[in-house]
Amino acid sequence: MSTADDCKARGNNHLRAREYEQAVAAYSEGLEIDPSHHVLYSNRAAAYINLQKATEALEDAESCIKCNPAFVKGFLRKATALKMLGRTPDAVDAIEAGLQIQPEFGPLKSLQQEIMSEQQNRMQGLFSNPRFLELMQDPEVAEAIQDPTKLQEHMGNPKVLEAVMMLQGMMGGMPGAPQPGAPQPGAPQPGAPQPQPAPKPQPKPEPKSEPKIAVKTVEEEADEIKAEGNKLFKNKNYDGAIDKYREAYAKHPNPVYLSNIAAVHTQRKEFDIAIEITEEMIEKARELCNGEYISKGLERMGNIKKAMGEVEEAVKFWKDADLEFSHRKLRVKIREGERDVRAIKKKAYVDPELSQAAKQRGNELFAEEKFVEAIQQYEEAIKRDPTSHTAVANRGLCKLRLGDFMGCVKDCDDALEIDPTYIKALIRAAQAYQYMAMYHKSLEYYKRAQALEPSEHSVLQGMQELETVVQRMQMKGPDEEMVRRNAEMPSIKKLVTDPGLQHLLQEISTNPAAMMQAMSTPGVADSLQMLIYAGVLRTQGPIPRSQ
């Protein structure tokens, strides 16, 4: 039976894969098992946010906070949902509440900065509005806008009310500002005598500012000590680096300093110690409910596992880290790790003996004309031994029998990459091209085979059959579509655009005997023969052969 944590893990996998609907379903299943699981509410809120379902996300965020008021991510989800709903002041309140729990929580600070930037941009737009600038010329308006504590005193001034309304529209609302249509404190009631304006207060002299003395915080002092440790680490003074990192941690217990210590032990290949310290770091980060620190710890654990050669385990830790706090370098690390895992598994699967056995099963199935089943066995043979050129070429032969001619050519070319002297691959590719009426390509492969084995019977027989087919094509006239297709192929296009060969072709068109003379020149003869086999050049009588 699944537990709530099982559902969370399944939902996290869907969330990581951006399958948000499936993630919501998994988290919902977990909440049916444990309705007090605050992390499930938080993660489901994240899925809803990605689905642009802000109302549902807000409900889950509030449920998360209710279950665990110290879980800072609940405030992050709440602030994000409120911002999506256009409730900017409420979002700011949620951010401030979260930062009271964890002042250095990066995602909340980033969202805070984002909102501040948006408000600054809106303010710039507001102060370029001619009407607002006109209203600000009124001293009461200026005082009310610049000092919100005096806002209520001036709400009887319609210009102040208009300016406030404009400010609300630009800023998404102001805490403490009256809403449109609400009765304004101090505003005259209908039929009541108009109050006399109060005398304007005299400006108070501003106190003289005292020169500020820069005082370093404990965090800044600890970071400076850590920087000294980084220099020692780069210079391979590992003992000195550890001492500095521990000194920094003693001054300010930031879990990140533990990660630095773990990095030194990893460099020394003291993996057990590195793992123990990193586990301590992650535990401290969880106590702080700091997702960014948790992510750093999980990423460090993945780095240790990679250094130990456990790449698949490393990728699992990196993925968990990405779920806590994502950044580009971590995502790149995950992609590269997954690629390495595939390469390791592929290499571990290699076994030449099992490859030979699979190839033999493929041969038996081929003899029974079970070509699809034979292909499956040849593919297993190739996985077991990627250097088995015979298995690759045999798969190509199956494709030839099934009418997959380009697939056959691809396999034969791959086999020739492994062993360029494998005659059978050249012959099968030539046959595939002949079936596709690409006779010039068929001739090319036969010639390559003939260069390796001039007296090979199957090569000579294949070339003779090909010549007969081309002779028949020349007698009845080549197919126009075939000629057009072949003429666009790079090898043929290069020949027909060669100036010297163009002059010869013009001469042949008026003097057919010139072809026989040209065939005595090896380079020219090969070019003419290619054009004839491609159907681009017509000839009468027997097809001339290159010498």
Side-chain angles (χ1 to χ4, degrees):
M1 180 178 177
S2 296
T3 65
D5 284 334
D6 292 335
C7 296
K8 184 187 78 170
R10 192 165 68 253
N12 291 351
N13 289 334
H14 287 306
L15 191 65
R16 191 180 297 116
R18 295 178 173 82
E19 299 167 349
Y20 303 122
E21 294 285 2
Q22 295 92 321
V24 167
Y27 295 138
S28 299
E29 182 182 342
L31 286 167
E32 289 179 5
I33 299 169
D34 182 2
S36 64
H37 201 305
H38 64 280
V39 177
L40 285 173
Y41 282 117
S42 173
N43 291 4
R44 189 170 71 174
Y48 278 136
I49 286 168
N50 282 286
L51 289 168
Q52 302 299 310
K53 295 182 177 181
T55 302
E56 292 86 344
L58 179 58
E59 291 176 1
D60 274 356
E62 290 175 339
S63 297
C64 171
I65 295 169
K66 184 177 180 181
C67 292
N68 186 352
F71 189 63
V72 72
K73 275 193 176 181
F75 293 93
L76 173 64
R77 309 295 188 221
K78 181 176 180 179
T80 304
L82 287 167
K83 181 176 179 294
M84 291 173 67
L85 291 168
R87 295 167 56 183
T88 305
D90 293 335
V92 171
D93 290 343
I95 291 171
E96 291 175 352
L99 291 177
Q100 286 180 0
I101 298 169
Q102 190 173 321
E104 298 302 319
F105 186 55
L108 266 181
K109 295 182 76 174
S110 298
L111 183 60
Q112 184 184 50
Q113 184 60 46
E114 181 183 334
I115 291 175
M116 289 174 62
S117 298
E118 290 177 359
Q119 289 181 335
Q120 288 173 0
N121 292 336
R122 289 171 181 167
M123 284 296 291
Q124 290 175 0
L126 182 62
F127 278 92
S128 63
N129 185 314
R131 176 56 182 165
F132 187 77
L133 293 176
E134 180 185 346
L135 292 171
M136 287 294 289
Q137 298 301 313
D138 186 313
E140 288 190 17
V141 174
E143 185 178 36
I145 296 299
Q146 294 169 4
D147 186 358
T149 61
K150 298 182 178 180
L151 185 60
Q152 298 295 343
E153 297 177 14
H154 301 293
M155 288 310 294
N157 185 336
K159 290 185 178 180
V160 172
L161 181 59
E162 183 180 354
V164 169
M165 297 294 289
M166 293 181 71
L167 189 60
Q168 281 184 311
M170 293 302 295
M171 301 298 292
M174 287 177 54
Q179 298 301 315
Q184 310 301 330
Q189 300 299 320
Q194 296 294 325
Q196 296 298 320
K200 295 181 181 179
Q202 296 297 321
K204 297 179 181 180
E206 294 186 3
K208 295 181 180 180
S209 59
E210 297 292 335
K212 294 183 179 180
I213 300 174
V215 178
K216 291 181 180 178
T217 64
V218 173
E219 293 89 341
E220 290 172 337
E221 291 177 356
D223 281 339
E224 288 181 356
I225 298 171
K226 174 197 166 188
E228 294 176 19
N230 291 346
K231 290 179 182 178
L232 292 170
F233 180 78
K234 289 179 181 178
N235 293 329
K236 298 184 178 180
N237 183 349
Y238 299 135
D239 288 333
I242 288 176
D243 289 341
K244 286 296 181 183
Y245 294 143
R246 291 200 180 280
E247 182 183 348
Y249 186 71
K251 182 170 283 293
H252 178 57
N254 185 333
V256 174
Y257 302 147
L258 295 177
S259 176
N260 296 124
I261 297 171
V264 178
H265 288 292
T266 303
Q267 189 67 27
R268 286 175 156 181
K269 300 189 183 303
E270 298 167 348
F271 300 124
D272 289 343
I273 300 174
I275 289 173
E276 183 179 349
I277 293 172
T278 305
E279 287 175 343
E280 180 185 354
M281 176 202 172
I282 295 170
E283 183 180 351
K284 296 289 185 185
R286 291 195 189 282
E287 290 174 1
L288 295 171
C289 295
N290 189 315
E292 187 173 0
Y293 290 171
I294 295 170
S295 176
K296 287 180 183 292
L298 292 168
E299 184 177 357
R300 175 64 61 197
M301 190 69 81
N303 295 348
I304 297 169
K305 291 294 183 180
K306 182 184 179 184
M308 295 171 66
E310 300 176 12
V311 183
E312 191 167 5
E313 283 297 308
V315 171
K316 290 180 181 178
F317 278 108
W318 291 334
K319 286 183 175 180
D320 288 341
D322 184 62
L323 194 61
E324 292 289 344
F325 187 81
S326 182
H327 57 86
R328 187 185 64 81
K329 288 184 179 179
L330 180 56
R331 293 192 293 273
V332 170
K333 189 180 289 186
I334 291 170
R335 286 196 298 270
E336 292 177 349
E338 288 175 333
R339 181 194 62 199
D340 292 342
V341 168
R342 289 192 295 271
I344 291 168
K345 287 183 176 180
K346 184 177 179 180
K347 184 177 180 180
Y349 200 71
V350 171
D351 187 323
E353 290 186 6
L354 292 177
S355 172
Q356 186 63 31
K359 188 179 75 170
Q360 181 58 38
R361 290 194 298 272
N363 293 346
E364 292 169 0
L365 289 166
F366 180 86
E368 297 173 11
E369 296 188 356
K370 296 179 179 179
F371 303 125
V372 174
E373 293 84 350
I375 285 176
Q376 293 172 350
Q377 292 302 317
Y378 289 137
E379 286 177 347
E380 174 66 13
I382 295 164
K383 290 177 183 176
R384 290 291 185 182
D385 183 6
T387 65
S388 177
H389 61 282
T390 54
V392 177
N394 286 2
R395 183 176 67 181
L397 181 57
C398 289
K399 292 178 180 179
L400 182 68
R401 294 290 187 268
L402 291 168
D404 180 8
F405 304 127
M406 284 307 301
C408 171
V409 171
K410 173 68 169 57
D411 277 349
C412 291
D413 283 340
D414 288 345
L416 292 166
E417 283 286 330
I418 302 170
D419 183 1
T421 66
Y422 192 49
I423 294 283
K424 288 184 178 181
L426 290 166
I427 294 173
R428 290 165 189 171
Q431 291 171 340
Y433 276 123
Q434 182 174 332
Y435 284 126
M436 290 187 288
M438 299 170 70
Y439 304 127
H440 62 292
K441 294 293 294 182
S442 180
L443 177 65
E444 175 188 328
Y445 276 79
Y446 275 131
K447 283 189 173 183
R448 286 172 59 185
Q450 189 179 38
L452 293 170
E453 293 289 345
S455 58
E456 171 63 35
H457 174 72
S458 56
V459 175
L460 296 175
Q461 183 180 8
M463 293 183 75
Q464 181 61 51
E465 292 175 355
L466 177 63
E467 183 178 321
T468 301
V469 171
V470 174
Q471 183 71 58
R472 191 180 303 118
M473 174 195 70
Q474 287 283 338
M475 290 176 63
K476 70 176 185 178
D479 178 71
E480 291 183 3
E481 180 60 33
M482 180 198 78
V483 174
R484 186 162 47 252
R485 179 197 64 194
N486 291 343
E488 290 299 319
M489 298 187 72
S491 58
I492 301 301
K493 186 179 286 189
K494 182 179 179 181
L495 292 176
V496 297
T497 56
D498 178 79
L501 197 58
Q502 282 183 340
H503 178 74
L504 177 60
L505 292 174
Q506 289 176 357
E507 184 179 353
I508 291 173
S509 65
T510 58
N511 180 18
M515 180 181 292
M516 298 306 297
Q517 297 174 0
M519 293 301 288
S520 61
T521 307
V524 176
D526 289 336
S527 297
L528 292 175
Q529 193 176 32
M530 287 286 283
L531 293 176
I532 292 170
Y533 276 63
V536 175
L537 178 60
R538 296 290 302 277
T539 181
Q540 297 178 354
I543 297 175
R545 299 177 182 177
S546 58
Q547 301 298 317

